[in-house]
Amino acid sequence: LGAAAGVWGGLVQAGGSLTLSCAASGLRFDDYVIGWFRQASGKEREGVSCINPDGRVYYGDSVKGRFTISSDAAKGTVYLQMNDLKPEDTAVYSCAADAHLFGKSMLMISSDYGGMDYWGKGTQVTVSS
């Protein structure tokens, strides 16, 4: 898995938008829940959003109404559209995939959970005020 913040990187002003992409080629989207996590400096990892094989999506309370997760199985990519970004959204964002954490479970794992099937390399998102 590999997360990327697009050609301009992950620096954006407050109120702006940014789309993250997670390259998940090689994974069968029918078999895995794919999600986004973030970790701000000095804070614990937080579940942001996840998409299930049946299309069900879930969001953390802090991003509901602002972020949208989607997938394109043909491209092997999962996207996180982030709108109305706030300085508190600044963090390293990572994508992950698991074949068992269905429903909202993926977002409820503890910060030290070590059972995830796949973790992607993170990408920095910085929101300036």
PDB file of all heavy atoms in Angstrom, residues 2-12 17-23 36 77-82 85 91-95 121-127:
ATOM      1  N   GLY A   2       0.470   2.241  -0.704  1.00  0.00           N
ATOM      2  CA  GLY A   2       1.233   3.479  -0.694  1.00  0.00           C
ATOM      3  C   GLY A   2       0.311   4.667  -0.757  1.00  0.00           C
ATOM      4  O   GLY A   2      -0.540   4.770  -1.628  1.00  0.00           O
ATOM      5  N   ALA A   3       0.444   5.579   0.185  1.00  0.00           N
ATOM      6  CA  ALA A   3      -0.389   6.773   0.224  1.00  0.00           C
ATOM      7  C   ALA A   3       0.335   7.935  -0.427  1.00  0.00           C
ATOM      8  O   ALA A   3       1.538   8.094  -0.276  1.00  0.00           O
ATOM      9  CB  ALA A   3      -0.747   7.118   1.661  1.00  0.00           C
ATOM     10  N   ALA A   4      -0.397   8.752  -1.133  1.00  0.00           N
ATOM     11  CA  ALA A   4       0.176   9.918  -1.770  1.00  0.00           C
ATOM     12  C   ALA A   4      -0.808  11.066  -1.699  1.00  0.00           C
ATOM     13  O   ALA A   4      -2.024  10.860  -1.672  1.00  0.00           O
ATOM     14  CB  ALA A   4       0.530   9.624  -3.225  1.00  0.00           C
ATOM     15  N   ALA A   5      -0.273  12.270  -1.663  1.00  0.00           N
ATOM     16  CA  ALA A   5      -1.110  13.453  -1.526  1.00  0.00           C
ATOM     17  C   ALA A   5      -1.179  14.249  -2.808  1.00  0.00           C
ATOM     18  O   ALA A   5      -1.530  15.407  -2.789  1.00  0.00           O
ATOM     19  CB  ALA A   5      -0.588  14.316  -0.390  1.00  0.00           C
ATOM     20  N   GLY A   6      -0.866  13.655  -3.907  1.00  0.00           N
ATOM     21  CA  GLY A   6      -0.998  14.365  -5.164  1.00  0.00           C
ATOM     22  C   GLY A   6       0.265  15.103  -5.540  1.00  0.00           C
ATOM     23  O   GLY A   6       1.224  15.160  -4.787  1.00  0.00           O
ATOM     24  N   VAL A   7       0.251  15.698  -6.687  1.00  0.00           N
ATOM     25  CA  VAL A   7       1.462  16.251  -7.272  1.00  0.00           C
ATOM     26  C   VAL A   7       1.988  17.438  -6.476  1.00  0.00           C
ATOM     27  O   VAL A   7       3.188  17.693  -6.438  1.00  0.00           O
ATOM     28  CB  VAL A   7       1.211  16.641  -8.737  1.00  0.00           C
ATOM     29  CG1 VAL A   7       0.186  17.768  -8.824  1.00  0.00           C
ATOM     30  CG2 VAL A   7       2.507  17.044  -9.417  1.00  0.00           C
ATOM     31  N   TRP A   8       1.110  18.174  -5.802  1.00  0.00           N
ATOM     32  CA  TRP A   8       1.550  19.341  -5.036  1.00  0.00           C
ATOM     33  C   TRP A   8       1.883  19.008  -3.590  1.00  0.00           C
ATOM     34  O   TRP A   8       2.119  19.889  -2.785  1.00  0.00           O
ATOM     35  CB  TRP A   8       0.476  20.423  -5.072  1.00  0.00           C
ATOM     36  CG  TRP A   8       0.165  20.878  -6.450  1.00  0.00           C
ATOM     37  CD1 TRP A   8      -0.984  20.697  -7.152  1.00  0.00           C
ATOM     38  CD2 TRP A   8       1.056  21.574  -7.334  1.00  0.00           C
ATOM     39  NE1 TRP A   8      -0.876  21.241  -8.396  1.00  0.00           N
ATOM     40  CE2 TRP A   8       0.355  21.787  -8.546  1.00  0.00           C
ATOM     41  CE3 TRP A   8       2.366  22.035  -7.229  1.00  0.00           C
ATOM     42  CZ2 TRP A   8       0.925  22.436  -9.634  1.00  0.00           C
ATOM     43  CZ3 TRP A   8       2.933  22.688  -8.304  1.00  0.00           C
ATOM     44  CH2 TRP A   8       2.218  22.880  -9.490  1.00  0.00           C
ATOM     45  N   GLY A   9       1.894  17.731  -3.280  1.00  0.00           N
ATOM     46  CA  GLY A   9       2.214  17.382  -1.912  1.00  0.00           C
ATOM     47  C   GLY A   9       1.045  17.636  -0.999  1.00  0.00           C
ATOM     48  O   GLY A   9      -0.085  17.789  -1.431  1.00  0.00           O
ATOM     49  N   GLY A  10       1.297  17.680   0.299  1.00  0.00           N
ATOM     50  CA  GLY A  10       0.222  17.755   1.262  1.00  0.00           C
ATOM     51  C   GLY A  10       0.173  19.045   2.027  1.00  0.00           C
ATOM     52  O   GLY A  10      -0.171  19.032   3.205  1.00  0.00           O
ATOM     53  N   LEU A  11       0.505  20.195   1.423  1.00  0.00           N
ATOM     54  CA  LEU A  11       0.451  21.485   2.105  1.00  0.00           C
ATOM     55  C   LEU A  11      -0.726  22.274   1.561  1.00  0.00           C
ATOM     56  O   LEU A  11      -0.832  22.494   0.356  1.00  0.00           O
ATOM     57  CB  LEU A  11       1.759  22.248   1.890  1.00  0.00           C
ATOM     58  CG  LEU A  11       1.834  23.646   2.512  1.00  0.00           C
ATOM     59  CD1 LEU A  11       1.695  23.559   4.022  1.00  0.00           C
ATOM     60  CD2 LEU A  11       3.143  24.311   2.124  1.00  0.00           C
ATOM     61  N   VAL A  12      -1.621  22.698   2.458  1.00  0.00           N
ATOM     62  CA  VAL A  12      -2.821  23.404   2.032  1.00  0.00           C
ATOM     63  C   VAL A  12      -3.230  24.403   3.108  1.00  0.00           C
ATOM     64  O   VAL A  12      -2.920  24.209   4.288  1.00  0.00           O
ATOM     65  CB  VAL A  12      -3.951  22.401   1.742  1.00  0.00           C
ATOM     66  CG1 VAL A  12      -4.369  21.666   3.011  1.00  0.00           C
ATOM     67  CG2 VAL A  12      -5.152  23.063   1.090  1.00  0.00           C
ATOM     68  N   SER A  17      -8.927  22.175   0.152  1.00  0.00           N
ATOM     69  CA  SER A  17      -9.231  20.770  -0.090  1.00  0.00           C
ATOM     70  C   SER A  17      -7.987  20.037  -0.570  1.00  0.00           C
ATOM     71  O   SER A  17      -7.074  20.644  -1.147  1.00  0.00           O
ATOM     72  CB  SER A  17     -10.330  20.636  -1.145  1.00  0.00           C
ATOM     73  OG  SER A  17     -11.536  21.237  -0.707  1.00  0.00           O
ATOM     74  N   LEU A  18      -7.992  18.759  -0.341  1.00  0.00           N
ATOM     75  CA  LEU A  18      -6.879  17.917  -0.766  1.00  0.00           C
ATOM     76  C   LEU A  18      -7.406  16.498  -0.921  1.00  0.00           C
ATOM     77  O   LEU A  18      -8.280  16.064  -0.154  1.00  0.00           O
ATOM     78  CB  LEU A  18      -5.773  17.947   0.283  1.00  0.00           C
ATOM     79  CG  LEU A  18      -4.435  17.282  -0.057  1.00  0.00           C
ATOM     80  CD1 LEU A  18      -3.743  18.053  -1.186  1.00  0.00           C
ATOM     81  CD2 LEU A  18      -3.534  17.251   1.177  1.00  0.00           C
ATOM     82  N   THR A  19      -6.909  15.804  -1.922  1.00  0.00           N
ATOM     83  CA  THR A  19      -7.290  14.406  -2.116  1.00  0.00           C
ATOM     84  C   THR A  19      -6.078  13.511  -1.925  1.00  0.00           C
ATOM     85  O   THR A  19      -5.040  13.722  -2.559  1.00  0.00           O
ATOM     86  CB  THR A  19      -7.879  14.172  -3.512  1.00  0.00           C
ATOM     87  OG1 THR A  19      -9.043  14.976  -3.674  1.00  0.00           O
ATOM     88  CG2 THR A  19      -8.266  12.708  -3.684  1.00  0.00           C
ATOM     89  N   LEU A  20      -6.216  12.543  -1.063  1.00  0.00           N
ATOM     90  CA  LEU A  20      -5.169  11.542  -0.868  1.00  0.00           C
ATOM     91  C   LEU A  20      -5.538  10.299  -1.661  1.00  0.00           C
ATOM     92  O   LEU A  20      -6.721   9.974  -1.803  1.00  0.00           O
ATOM     93  CB  LEU A  20      -5.035  11.172   0.610  1.00  0.00           C
ATOM     94  CG  LEU A  20      -4.728  12.301   1.585  1.00  0.00           C
ATOM     95  CD1 LEU A  20      -4.555  11.739   2.992  1.00  0.00           C
ATOM     96  CD2 LEU A  20      -3.495  13.077   1.166  1.00  0.00           C
ATOM     97  N   SER A  21      -4.542   9.625  -2.163  1.00  0.00           N
ATOM     98  CA  SER A  21      -4.787   8.385  -2.875  1.00  0.00           C
ATOM     99  C   SER A  21      -3.957   7.270  -2.256  1.00  0.00           C
ATOM    100  O   SER A  21      -2.829   7.497  -1.815  1.00  0.00           O
ATOM    101  CB  SER A  21      -4.474   8.530  -4.360  1.00  0.00           C
ATOM    102  OG  SER A  21      -3.127   8.928  -4.548  1.00  0.00           O
ATOM    103  N   CYS A  22      -4.527   6.096  -2.233  1.00  0.00           N
ATOM    104  CA  CYS A  22      -3.861   4.927  -1.678  1.00  0.00           C
ATOM    105  C   CYS A  22      -3.803   3.870  -2.765  1.00  0.00           C
ATOM    106  O   CYS A  22      -4.841   3.362  -3.198  1.00  0.00           O
ATOM    107  CB  CYS A  22      -4.627   4.411  -0.469  1.00  0.00           C
ATOM    108  SG  CYS A  22      -3.988   2.871   0.217  1.00  0.00           S
ATOM    109  N   ALA A  23      -2.608   3.567  -3.221  1.00  0.00           N
ATOM    110  CA  ALA A  23      -2.432   2.562  -4.258  1.00  0.00           C
ATOM    111  C   ALA A  23      -2.484   1.189  -3.605  1.00  0.00           C
ATOM    112  O   ALA A  23      -1.602   0.841  -2.822  1.00  0.00           O
ATOM    113  CB  ALA A  23      -1.101   2.775  -4.972  1.00  0.00           C
ATOM    114  N   TRP A  36      -8.288   4.729   6.195  1.00  0.00           N
ATOM    115  CA  TRP A  36      -7.314   5.801   6.379  1.00  0.00           C
ATOM    116  C   TRP A  36      -7.177   6.086   7.869  1.00  0.00           C
ATOM    117  O   TRP A  36      -8.174   6.144   8.595  1.00  0.00           O
ATOM    118  CB  TRP A  36      -7.765   7.067   5.662  1.00  0.00           C
ATOM    119  CG  TRP A  36      -7.634   7.000   4.184  1.00  0.00           C
ATOM    120  CD1 TRP A  36      -8.593   6.671   3.277  1.00  0.00           C
ATOM    121  CD2 TRP A  36      -6.449   7.291   3.432  1.00  0.00           C
ATOM    122  NE1 TRP A  36      -8.084   6.729   2.013  1.00  0.00           N
ATOM    123  CE2 TRP A  36      -6.775   7.110   2.070  1.00  0.00           C
ATOM    124  CE3 TRP A  36      -5.152   7.684   3.764  1.00  0.00           C
ATOM    125  CZ2 TRP A  36      -5.843   7.311   1.042  1.00  0.00           C
ATOM    126  CZ3 TRP A  36      -4.238   7.878   2.746  1.00  0.00           C
ATOM    127  CH2 TRP A  36      -4.593   7.693   1.410  1.00  0.00           C
ATOM    128  N   THR A  77      -7.175   1.687  -6.444  1.00  0.00           N
ATOM    129  CA  THR A  77      -6.880   2.892  -5.672  1.00  0.00           C
ATOM    130  C   THR A  77      -8.062   3.274  -4.784  1.00  0.00           C
ATOM    131  O   THR A  77      -9.208   3.174  -5.197  1.00  0.00           O
ATOM    132  CB  THR A  77      -6.546   4.072  -6.600  1.00  0.00           C
ATOM    133  OG1 THR A  77      -5.448   3.694  -7.436  1.00  0.00           O
ATOM    134  CG2 THR A  77      -6.139   5.304  -5.801  1.00  0.00           C
ATOM    135  N   VAL A  78      -7.742   3.695  -3.575  1.00  0.00           N
ATOM    136  CA  VAL A  78      -8.734   4.245  -2.653  1.00  0.00           C
ATOM    137  C   VAL A  78      -8.391   5.710  -2.425  1.00  0.00           C
ATOM    138  O   VAL A  78      -7.223   6.056  -2.247  1.00  0.00           O
ATOM    139  CB  VAL A  78      -8.736   3.487  -1.320  1.00  0.00           C
ATOM    140  CG1 VAL A  78      -9.666   4.154  -0.309  1.00  0.00           C
ATOM    141  CG2 VAL A  78      -9.179   2.042  -1.546  1.00  0.00           C
ATOM    142  N   TYR A  79      -9.406   6.562  -2.443  1.00  0.00           N
ATOM    143  CA  TYR A  79      -9.208   8.004  -2.322  1.00  0.00           C
ATOM    144  C   TYR A  79      -9.819   8.521  -1.023  1.00  0.00           C
ATOM    145  O   TYR A  79     -10.797   7.979  -0.508  1.00  0.00           O
ATOM    146  CB  TYR A  79      -9.865   8.727  -3.502  1.00  0.00           C
ATOM    147  CG  TYR A  79      -9.366   8.276  -4.845  1.00  0.00           C
ATOM    148  CD1 TYR A  79     -10.053   7.303  -5.576  1.00  0.00           C
ATOM    149  CD2 TYR A  79      -8.199   8.801  -5.388  1.00  0.00           C
ATOM    150  CE1 TYR A  79      -9.602   6.878  -6.805  1.00  0.00           C
ATOM    151  CE2 TYR A  79      -7.733   8.381  -6.624  1.00  0.00           C
ATOM    152  CZ  TYR A  79      -8.438   7.420  -7.331  1.00  0.00           C
ATOM    153  OH  TYR A  79      -7.986   6.996  -8.552  1.00  0.00           O
ATOM    154  N   LEU A  80      -9.235   9.591  -0.538  1.00  0.00           N
ATOM    155  CA  LEU A  80      -9.822  10.315   0.587  1.00  0.00           C
ATOM    156  C   LEU A  80      -9.887  11.784   0.188  1.00  0.00           C
ATOM    157  O   LEU A  80      -8.853  12.463   0.128  1.00  0.00           O
ATOM    158  CB  LEU A  80      -8.987  10.154   1.855  1.00  0.00           C
ATOM    159  CG  LEU A  80      -9.606  10.782   3.118  1.00  0.00           C
ATOM    160  CD1 LEU A  80     -10.871  10.020   3.528  1.00  0.00           C
ATOM    161  CD2 LEU A  80      -8.596  10.796   4.265  1.00  0.00           C
ATOM    162  N   GLN A  81     -11.092  12.228  -0.139  1.00  0.00           N
ATOM    163  CA  GLN A  81     -11.314  13.631  -0.481  1.00  0.00           C
ATOM    164  C   GLN A  81     -11.526  14.401   0.809  1.00  0.00           C
ATOM    165  O   GLN A  81     -12.446  14.101   1.571  1.00  0.00           O
ATOM    166  CB  GLN A  81     -12.534  13.769  -1.398  1.00  0.00           C
ATOM    167  CG  GLN A  81     -12.946  15.211  -1.681  1.00  0.00           C
ATOM    168  CD  GLN A  81     -11.940  15.965  -2.519  1.00  0.00           C
ATOM    169  OE1 GLN A  81     -11.404  15.425  -3.481  1.00  0.00           O
ATOM    170  NE2 GLN A  81     -11.650  17.195  -2.142  1.00  0.00           N
ATOM    171  N   MET A  82     -10.671  15.386   1.051  1.00  0.00           N
ATOM    172  CA  MET A  82     -10.734  16.154   2.285  1.00  0.00           C
ATOM    173  C   MET A  82     -11.080  17.595   1.969  1.00  0.00           C
ATOM    174  O   MET A  82     -10.340  18.269   1.242  1.00  0.00           O
ATOM    175  CB  MET A  82      -9.384  16.073   3.024  1.00  0.00           C
ATOM    176  CG  MET A  82      -8.905  14.650   3.274  1.00  0.00           C
ATOM    177  SD  MET A  82      -7.408  14.545   4.262  1.00  0.00           S
ATOM    178  CE  MET A  82      -6.230  15.284   3.143  1.00  0.00           C
ATOM    179  N   LEU A  85     -10.545  21.844   5.183  1.00  0.00           N
ATOM    180  CA  LEU A  85      -9.478  21.392   6.054  1.00  0.00           C
ATOM    181  C   LEU A  85      -9.184  22.414   7.150  1.00  0.00           C
ATOM    182  O   LEU A  85      -9.294  23.631   6.947  1.00  0.00           O
ATOM    183  CB  LEU A  85      -8.222  21.110   5.242  1.00  0.00           C
ATOM    184  CG  LEU A  85      -8.266  19.778   4.473  1.00  0.00           C
ATOM    185  CD1 LEU A  85      -7.247  19.745   3.360  1.00  0.00           C
ATOM    186  CD2 LEU A  85      -8.036  18.618   5.444  1.00  0.00           C
ATOM    187  N   ALA A  91      -1.411  16.072  10.065  1.00  0.00           N
ATOM    188  CA  ALA A  91      -0.990  14.770  10.574  1.00  0.00           C
ATOM    189  C   ALA A  91      -0.327  13.991   9.445  1.00  0.00           C
ATOM    190  O   ALA A  91      -0.365  14.406   8.283  1.00  0.00           O
ATOM    191  CB  ALA A  91      -2.190  13.983  11.103  1.00  0.00           C
ATOM    192  N   VAL A  92       0.260  12.862   9.809  1.00  0.00           N
ATOM    193  CA  VAL A  92       0.706  11.887   8.810  1.00  0.00           C
ATOM    194  C   VAL A  92      -0.461  10.941   8.567  1.00  0.00           C
ATOM    195  O   VAL A  92      -0.973  10.336   9.507  1.00  0.00           O
ATOM    196  CB  VAL A  92       1.945  11.111   9.284  1.00  0.00           C
ATOM    197  CG1 VAL A  92       2.296  10.018   8.285  1.00  0.00           C
ATOM    198  CG2 VAL A  92       3.120  12.063   9.469  1.00  0.00           C
ATOM    199  N   TYR A  93      -0.869  10.844   7.322  1.00  0.00           N
ATOM    200  CA  TYR A  93      -1.995  10.003   6.942  1.00  0.00           C
ATOM    201  C   TYR A  93      -1.467   8.718   6.317  1.00  0.00           C
ATOM    202  O   TYR A  93      -0.596   8.746   5.443  1.00  0.00           O
ATOM    203  CB  TYR A  93      -2.897  10.729   5.944  1.00  0.00           C
ATOM    204  CG  TYR A  93      -3.738  11.805   6.583  1.00  0.00           C
ATOM    205  CD1 TYR A  93      -3.156  12.997   7.024  1.00  0.00           C
ATOM    206  CD2 TYR A  93      -5.110  11.643   6.759  1.00  0.00           C
ATOM    207  CE1 TYR A  93      -3.920  13.990   7.624  1.00  0.00           C
ATOM    208  CE2 TYR A  93      -5.886  12.631   7.351  1.00  0.00           C
ATOM    209  CZ  TYR A  93      -5.280  13.799   7.787  1.00  0.00           C
ATOM    210  OH  TYR A  93      -6.046  14.780   8.374  1.00  0.00           O
ATOM    211  N   SER A  94      -2.056   7.594   6.736  1.00  0.00           N
ATOM    212  CA  SER A  94      -1.659   6.286   6.213  1.00  0.00           C
ATOM    213  C   SER A  94      -2.898   5.498   5.840  1.00  0.00           C
ATOM    214  O   SER A  94      -3.950   5.664   6.443  1.00  0.00           O
ATOM    215  CB  SER A  94      -0.879   5.504   7.274  1.00  0.00           C
ATOM    216  OG  SER A  94       0.256   6.203   7.717  1.00  0.00           O
ATOM    217  N   CYS A  95      -2.749   4.644   4.846  1.00  0.00           N
ATOM    218  CA  CYS A  95      -3.841   3.750   4.517  1.00  0.00           C
ATOM    219  C   CYS A  95      -3.505   2.343   4.999  1.00  0.00           C
ATOM    220  O   CYS A  95      -2.338   2.013   5.221  1.00  0.00           O
ATOM    221  CB  CYS A  95      -4.157   3.764   3.027  1.00  0.00           C
ATOM    222  SG  CYS A  95      -2.790   3.379   1.930  1.00  0.00           S
ATOM    223  N   LYS A 121       2.786   3.196   3.640  1.00  0.00           N
ATOM    224  CA  LYS A 121       3.668   4.272   4.072  1.00  0.00           C
ATOM    225  C   LYS A 121       2.868   5.557   4.132  1.00  0.00           C
ATOM    226  O   LYS A 121       2.075   5.844   3.250  1.00  0.00           O
ATOM    227  CB  LYS A 121       4.835   4.421   3.091  1.00  0.00           C
ATOM    228  CG  LYS A 121       5.864   5.447   3.505  1.00  0.00           C
ATOM    229  CD  LYS A 121       7.008   5.500   2.495  1.00  0.00           C
ATOM    230  CE  LYS A 121       8.033   6.553   2.885  1.00  0.00           C
ATOM    231  NZ  LYS A 121       9.148   6.615   1.898  1.00  0.00           N
ATOM    232  N   GLY A 122       3.064   6.336   5.163  1.00  0.00           N
ATOM    233  CA  GLY A 122       2.276   7.531   5.360  1.00  0.00           C
ATOM    234  C   GLY A 122       2.706   8.709   4.519  1.00  0.00           C
ATOM    235  O   GLY A 122       3.800   8.734   3.950  1.00  0.00           O
ATOM    236  N   THR A 123       1.827   9.689   4.446  1.00  0.00           N
ATOM    237  CA  THR A 123       2.118  10.934   3.753  1.00  0.00           C
ATOM    238  C   THR A 123       1.723  12.100   4.651  1.00  0.00           C
ATOM    239  O   THR A 123       0.686  12.065   5.316  1.00  0.00           O
ATOM    240  CB  THR A 123       1.387  11.001   2.395  1.00  0.00           C
ATOM    241  OG1 THR A 123       1.842  12.134   1.666  1.00  0.00           O
ATOM    242  CG2 THR A 123      -0.122  11.110   2.565  1.00  0.00           C
ATOM    243  N   GLN A 124       2.554  13.121   4.686  1.00  0.00           N
ATOM    244  CA  GLN A 124       2.306  14.259   5.566  1.00  0.00           C
ATOM    245  C   GLN A 124       1.274  15.197   4.953  1.00  0.00           C
ATOM    246  O   GLN A 124       1.372  15.557   3.779  1.00  0.00           O
ATOM    247  CB  GLN A 124       3.612  15.031   5.808  1.00  0.00           C
ATOM    248  CG  GLN A 124       3.453  16.301   6.637  1.00  0.00           C
ATOM    249  CD  GLN A 124       3.141  16.003   8.097  1.00  0.00           C
ATOM    250  OE1 GLN A 124       3.756  15.133   8.707  1.00  0.00           O
ATOM    251  NE2 GLN A 124       2.188  16.743   8.658  1.00  0.00           N
ATOM    252  N   VAL A 125       0.308  15.589   5.743  1.00  0.00           N
ATOM    253  CA  VAL A 125      -0.648  16.627   5.360  1.00  0.00           C
ATOM    254  C   VAL A 125      -0.504  17.759   6.372  1.00  0.00           C
ATOM    255  O   VAL A 125      -0.609  17.536   7.576  1.00  0.00           O
ATOM    256  CB  VAL A 125      -2.097  16.095   5.367  1.00  0.00           C
ATOM    257  CG1 VAL A 125      -3.078  17.237   5.163  1.00  0.00           C
ATOM    258  CG2 VAL A 125      -2.278  15.046   4.284  1.00  0.00           C
ATOM    259  N   THR A 126      -0.251  18.944   5.867  1.00  0.00           N
ATOM    260  CA  THR A 126      -0.088  20.111   6.720  1.00  0.00           C
ATOM    261  C   THR A 126      -1.100  21.175   6.312  1.00  0.00           C
ATOM    262  O   THR A 126      -1.145  21.572   5.148  1.00  0.00           O
ATOM    263  CB  THR A 126       1.327  20.687   6.612  1.00  0.00           C
ATOM    264  OG1 THR A 126       2.277  19.672   6.975  1.00  0.00           O
ATOM    265  CG2 THR A 126       1.496  21.881   7.546  1.00  0.00           C
ATOM    266  N   VAL A 127      -1.899  21.607   7.262  1.00  0.00           N
ATOM    267  CA  VAL A 127      -2.905  22.630   7.017  1.00  0.00           C
ATOM    268  C   VAL A 127      -2.488  23.887   7.759  1.00  0.00           C
ATOM    269  O   VAL A 127      -2.405  23.894   8.987  1.00  0.00           O
ATOM    270  CB  VAL A 127      -4.295  22.179   7.474  1.00  0.00           C
ATOM    271  CG1 VAL A 127      -5.330  23.239   7.130  1.00  0.00           C
ATOM    272  CG2 VAL A 127      -4.662  20.837   6.847  1.00  0.00           C
TER     273      VAL A 127
END
